[in-house]
Amino acid sequence: MADDSINLSIPSLQLTTLDTPEQLSPKKKRKAKKPSASSIDTLRSGPDGDSVIVKQKFPPLPSGNTPKSPSKSKAKSTPLKKGKKKVVVEQENPDSDLEQMDVSWEKAVETARGLPEGATSSDDEMKAGSDQEADGEKPKKKKLKVLKAAAKQFKKLTGEGAANGVGKKRKMEDETEEKGKDSTKKVKLVELKTKERKKLRKKSNESYEITERAKELWEDLRRFELTPEKRQEMSKELYGIIKGKASRLIYAHDTSRVIQCLLKYGTQTYKDALFEELKDEIPKLMISKYAKYFVRRLLKYGTKVQRNFVFSQMKGNICRFIKHAQAGEIVEYAFNEFANVSERTAMIEEFFGPCYQLYKTPELTTLKEIIANNADKQEVILRNMKETLSVLVDKNVLQHSIVHYVFMEYFTHATPEARSEMIEILRESAIHMLHTREGARVAMLCLWHGSAKDRKVMVRSFKTFVKRICLEEYGHMVLLAAFDSIDDTKVMQKVILDEIVKDLPDIITDQFGRKVVLYLLCPRNPLHFHPDVMKVINQGDENTQSKKDVAIRRRELLDAVSKPLVQYVAEHCREIVTDNASLLTLLAIITHTKADPTTAMQAISKIASEPFTAGSLENMHIVEHTAGHLTLKKLILNDAERMKAGEKVIFSCILLDILPEGALKSWAACNRGCFILIHLIELNHPDVSPRVKEELKPVKASLKKMKLKGAQILLKKLS
């Protein structure tokens, strides 16, 4: 063979040599020269499509088969197909030891570089072969033998008894790895699944076994079907487990529920024991996310002595607790559900200043009484309240009713200047106070005494919440105050009225939402509003911020909702005329609306024109219906007022125009129908009364035979 390097190729295997380091520059090492087409044909890619560039020293060739070759051999590198990397072996010293390669295919080729079986050792033949390569000829037969030898050597390397000891070394390494796998090693938490990791962490806790057993008992103890004897037995076992450990278990999310359950279902002995164990930690429990519920259960299921002890632990800390997200809930719960008058007064007094946190005045129940007895302290008390309340203007804190009480006391006794400053602080957050009576009163005071900017900001904060405000027992009164005081009716229409119109079906059918609609139609009408409500609303008349004339403001608001209200009646006529609660609203819409009510009157008349059979219970007619006949009666009586006002649209005329022939005769067959006919005759309208009398002449004989009260009166009217 020639002095040049041997080029071996097997399927998915490639071996080439590069020039020596002395012949190649660093640039050439990174980018090899482009080979000839003849050498590309003999190349194959690596077994995995990818290989690594390895520079390895070769072992000495076996004796007897060693060809004559120089100490340094060189060959041009051959590029591979796109996406494949090449293996380049550089030989510097043939006497160097064998170094193990990472890829097994390269190991086979390295071992096969010695002459395989069947290859000639003649220098002439090797020289002839190299000459043929130089001339561009391919020694195909010899290369095929070399490939077969390389494949055979590869099998030996991967099996037992491999030549050169490479296979043996590899086998020893494999055995070492297997032993390492069998050996015990500590399992890391990162290697575990999430559930297994969580369970392992729980087991590392010293209270794991106690916790698991306590939760098993808790699952059974809270069942409703458990007998009292069994519940008492399980409570005893559960208390035996957590006894002395409650102060440690009460702060966890699961064991806290176990203790709460025992406090609920356990006997008084266990309740007292738990209280004695945890009573010194009540302030700490109140600020805990889970332990706070123990204090809540203690207030609900504890004795009066235990409840008073909880109040004593809150004493002096109300202002601090109310600002805390967890403790504030317990203070609010205690204030609303369990505090008596003296306890509520004492809790509110703590907002008056530091001295009132320590020294209470049981004989004085309100700030008004305190100021009356100590007029010189008014300024100090109001200053302390302002400092405290300014910090409480937060969404979560403003939801507490105790804060609403304090704000109400401050607004009642503050000077106009101090009140204006507090309104400016509170105006964007007042939306969170409308669910209580005191909170709604505070919001109304802000609207009455705030500047035009304060009112505008406050109304805009109501956006998207108008429906909820309308349905609030106290919150709807804030909207009534806004209708009476805000001069900017354009803003009111965009923010308030448009949302009312959008949700009109839900608002007008609610008992509080209906008040909002009625106040737009007929404000302060004693027929719809209680005197106590009007007494509160009238307080806003003294405000100095409203400049627009009251009549103009009311007319502009009514114009914005008149047409939608009439359309609503026309679309939901059947539900309205058969609902007792909606009767007055319907009359108010038809009476006070600024839009044409003809469509609504026609819709009602069409329902009245349906065939009528006296005494039918399946489809009760509007004439005989409890609410329906009152609707017709009120609308006919309302026509008299419309006639006096000069209105051209009269319900009675529209009704008679739509009713089919003979409908009035059928109405005379029932008592309620007779009274409707009586009101039509008594209307004394030139187009109504004569027409009714004319149609009822044929039924006079029948009316004489009827004993109904309405029939007798109708007969007299016809005579």
Side-chain angles (χ1 to χ4, degrees):
M1 298 179 71
D3 294 338
D4 295 335
S5 61
I6 302 174
N7 191 344
L8 302 178
S9 298
I10 61 173
S12 301
L13 172 66
Q14 175 185 345
L15 174 64
T16 62
T17 61
L18 269 178
D19 295 334
T20 59
E22 293 80 6
Q23 295 171 330
L24 286 177
S25 64
K27 186 175 181 181
K28 291 183 180 180
K29 288 182 182 180
R30 293 191 298 270
K31 184 175 182 182
K33 293 181 180 180
K34 186 176 182 181
S36 61
S38 61
S39 61
I40 293 177
D41 297 336
T42 62
L43 297 176
R44 299 292 186 270
S45 62
D48 297 325
D50 247 19
S51 185
V52 238
I53 296 178
V54 179
K55 294 183 179 181
Q56 183 137 358
K57 300 176 182 179
F58 290 97
L61 295 174
S63 59
N65 294 332
T66 307
K68 293 181 180 180
S69 60
S71 60
K72 296 179 182 178
S73 62
K74 61 181 180 178
K76 293 182 178 179
S77 62
T78 307
L80 302 180
K81 297 179 180 179
K82 187 177 181 180
K84 310 290 183 180
K85 293 183 180 179
K86 58 189 176 183
V87 178
V88 181
V89 180
E90 181 181 355
Q91 180 178 351
E92 293 182 358
N93 186 1
D95 297 330
S96 60
D97 297 332
L98 177 65
E99 295 178 3
Q100 185 180 357
M101 300 176 64
D102 295 335
V103 184
S104 58
W105 286 96
E106 282 77 7
K107 293 179 183 178
V109 175
E110 291 168 17
T111 310
R113 282 193 63 82
L115 288 178
E117 295 179 0
T120 61
S121 60
S122 171
D123 293 340
D124 297 335
E125 291 178 358
M126 294 179 66
K127 186 176 180 181
S130 63
D131 293 339
Q132 289 177 1
E133 288 180 359
D135 296 336
E137 298 178 2
K138 298 180 181 179
K140 296 181 180 179
K141 295 182 180 180
K142 293 181 180 180
K143 289 183 178 180
L144 183 59
K145 291 180 180 180
V146 172
L147 293 176
K148 290 181 179 179
K152 185 176 181 181
Q153 187 65 27
F154 175 76
K155 292 180 181 179
K156 291 182 179 180
L157 287 171
T158 56
E160 296 182 0
N164 303 348
V166 178
K168 186 176 182 180
K169 185 177 180 181
R170 180 67 179 174
K171 183 179 180 182
M172 292 175 64
E173 291 177 356
D174 294 340
E175 290 176 356
T176 306
E177 291 177 2
E178 290 177 1
K179 289 181 180 179
K181 291 179 181 178
D182 295 337
S183 60
T184 58
K185 67 174 183 178
K186 186 177 180 181
V187 180
K188 296 181 180 180
L189 290 176
V190 183
E191 300 175 2
L192 297 175
K193 295 181 180 179
T194 305
K195 290 184 178 180
E196 296 176 352
R197 192 185 313 155
K198 186 177 180 181
K199 190 174 182 180
L200 189 61
R201 284 200 183 100
K202 285 183 177 180
K203 287 184 178 180
S204 63
N205 191 346
E206 58 181 4
S207 304
Y208 175 74
E209 296 181 358
I210 297 174
T211 301
E212 290 300 311
R213 179 55 184 161
K215 288 195 290 186
E216 290 176 3
L217 292 171
W218 169 58
E219 288 290 344
D220 296 332
L221 184 61
R222 60 180 182 158
R223 292 181 179 176
F224 292 106
E225 66 273 10
L226 204 64
T227 60
E229 295 78 11
K230 185 66 175 177
R231 178 171 280 122
Q232 185 176 1
E233 180 183 348
M234 297 180 69
S235 300
K236 182 179 180 181
E237 182 182 356
L238 180 58
Y239 176 72
I241 293 175
I242 65 176
K243 182 180 180 181
K245 309 177 187 67
S247 59
R248 188 171 71 251
L249 301 176
I250 192 64
Y251 296 99
H253 72 96
D254 48 0
T255 50
S256 175
R257 297 187 179 188
V258 175
I259 298 176
Q260 295 168 35
C261 186
L262 182 60
L263 191 65
K264 179 179 180 180
Y265 294 112
T267 60
Q268 191 60 43
T269 304
Y270 303 140
K271 294 179 181 179
D272 295 341
L274 287 173
F275 171 75
E276 292 296 329
E277 188 173 348
L278 296 171
K279 68 178 183 179
D280 295 333
E281 298 188 29
I282 285 180
K284 187 178 177 182
L285 297 177
M286 291 179 63
I287 62 176
S288 173
K289 184 177 181 180
Y290 304 110
K292 67 178 181 181
Y293 294 105
F294 174 81
V295 184
R296 189 182 179 99
R297 289 293 179 94
L298 192 62
L299 288 169
K300 186 175 183 180
Y301 299 108
T303 61
K304 186 176 181 180
V305 175
Q306 294 170 355
R307 193 178 298 121
N308 291 336
F309 183 83
V310 174
F311 278 103
S312 67
Q313 293 296 303
M314 295 182 187
K315 181 181 178 181
N317 297 309
I318 298 297
C319 295
R320 180 171 65 90
F321 282 153
I322 201 65
K323 292 184 286 187
H324 195 277
Q326 313 301 335
E329 296 180 12
I330 305 302
V331 173
E332 174 71 4
Y333 181 68
F335 180 81
N336 283 326
E337 303 296 334
F338 302 102
N340 53 33
V341 175
S342 61
E343 289 170 342
R344 289 164 70 95
T345 303
M347 294 174 76
I348 294 174
E349 276 185 4
E350 295 195 17
F351 292 89
F352 298 164
C355 62
Y356 291 94
Q357 295 177 1
L358 301 175
Y359 305 102
K360 308 297 180 181
T361 54
E363 67 281 359
L364 304 177
T365 58
T366 62
L367 180 59
K368 182 178 180 180
E369 295 178 359
I370 294 175
I371 292 175
N373 285 270
N374 303 280
D376 56 330
K377 293 184 178 181
Q378 179 177 0
E379 185 179 353
V380 178
I381 291 174
L382 293 176
R383 185 171 63 249
N384 290 331
M385 292 178 69
K386 181 180 178 181
E387 293 176 358
T388 305
L389 292 175
S390 299
V391 183
L392 300 181
V393 181
D394 180 70
K395 175 182 176 181
N396 295 327
V397 179
L398 280 179
Q399 295 177 351
H400 301 320
S401 60
I402 184 175
V403 179
H404 303 171
Y405 272 92
V406 181
F407 267 108
M408 185 63 186
E409 292 281 10
Y410 180 81
F411 273 94
T412 304
H413 301 91
T415 61
E417 294 78 10
R419 186 174 56 196
S420 299
E421 293 177 3
M422 184 58 69
I423 290 173
E424 187 176 354
I425 297 173
L426 189 61
R427 62 190 181 186
E428 295 182 2
S429 304
I431 181 66
H432 306 296
M433 305 175 62
L434 307 184
H435 57 280
T436 65
R437 183 179 61 182
E438 286 71 23
R441 297 289 189 277
V442 171
M444 294 169 72
L445 289 170
C446 291
L447 287 172
W448 288 332
H449 303 292
S451 63
K453 184 178 180 180
D454 295 333
R455 294 174 174 181
K456 194 172 184 179
V457 172
M458 191 171 174
V459 168
R460 285 182 175 175
S461 69
F462 295 168
K463 194 171 185 179
T464 70
F465 298 103
V466 175
K467 178 182 175 181
R468 293 181 58 184
I469 298 174
C470 290
L471 306 184
E472 286 281 355
E473 180 180 0
Y474 303 106
H476 79 278
M477 295 185 64
V478 179
L479 295 181
L480 307 188
F483 297 153
D484 278 343
S485 57
I486 297 178
D487 294 335
D488 193 346
T489 54
K490 295 294 183 182
V491 173
M492 289 293 294
Q493 180 179 351
K494 291 179 180 179
V495 179
I496 306 295
L497 301 183
D498 286 352
E499 288 196 34
I500 291 176
V501 170
K502 184 179 66 175
D503 299 311
L504 193 57
D506 296 328
I507 293 175
I508 204 169
T509 55
D510 182 79
Q511 60 173 331
F512 303 116
R514 191 180 299 119
K515 298 291 184 181
V516 177
V517 176
L518 288 171
Y519 201 83
L520 290 169
L521 293 167
C522 46
R524 307 192 184 188
N525 189 331
L527 179 64
H528 305 295
F529 299 97
H530 195 275
D532 292 341
V533 175
M534 289 298 96
K535 185 178 179 180
V536 175
I537 295 295
N538 292 337
Q539 295 176 8
D541 296 340
E542 301 175 0
N543 79 87
T544 59
Q545 302 295 330
S546 300
K547 306 298 182 183
K548 184 178 288 189
D549 184 68
V550 176
I552 296 175
R553 186 192 307 116
R554 290 177 178 176
R555 186 178 66 251
E556 290 176 352
L557 294 175
L558 183 57
D559 289 342
V561 297
S562 291
K563 190 173 181 180
L565 287 173
V566 173
Q567 184 179 357
Y568 169 78
V569 173
E571 294 175 354
H572 302 81
C573 183
R574 189 171 296 276
E575 294 87 356
I576 295 174
V577 297
T578 56
D579 182 21
N580 288 326
S582 301
L583 174 60
L584 294 178
T585 308
L586 173 63
L587 294 174
I589 292 173
I590 293 178
T591 304
H592 300 285
T593 184
K594 297 300 180 180
D596 186 4
T598 303
T599 55
M601 293 179 178
Q602 289 175 348
I604 299 172
S605 301
K606 287 179 182 179
I607 296 176
S609 64
E610 295 175 355
F612 171 67
T613 303
S616 177
L617 299 177
E618 295 181 359
N619 296 316
M620 187 172 289
H621 197 271
I622 185 175
V623 172
E624 204 169 14
H625 192 274
T626 307
H629 88 279
L630 286 176
T631 302
L632 295 176
K633 176 183 175 180
K634 295 291 184 182
L635 289 174
I636 295 170
L637 293 176
N638 183 60
D639 284 344
E641 301 295 331
R642 297 181 68 85
M643 290 168 59
K644 291 180 182 179
E647 297 286 346
K648 296 181 180 181
V649 180
I650 304 298
F651 172 75
S652 301
C653 296
I654 296 175
L655 177 65
L656 294 178
D657 292 340
I658 294 178
L659 285 176
E661 187 178 354
L664 295 179
K665 297 178 184 179
S666 63
W667 289 8
C670 68
N671 190 52
R672 289 175 175 172
C674 290
F675 279 104
I676 293 174
L677 296 173
I678 292 170
H679 292 305
L680 286 172
I681 295 173
E682 290 178 347
L683 186 60
N684 294 324
H685 190 279
D687 297 333
V688 175
S689 299
R691 183 176 173 181
V692 173
K693 291 180 179 180
E694 185 67 25
E695 290 191 18
L696 292 179
K697 283 182 179 180
V699 298
K700 283 186 177 181
S702 300
L703 291 174
K704 292 179 181 179
K705 299 177 182 179
M706 297 173 65
K707 297 182 180 180
L708 299 175
K709 186 68 175 178
Q712 296 174 4
I713 298 175
L714 179 60
L715 183 60
K716 293 180 181 179
K717 294 292 180 182
L718 293 176
S719 302

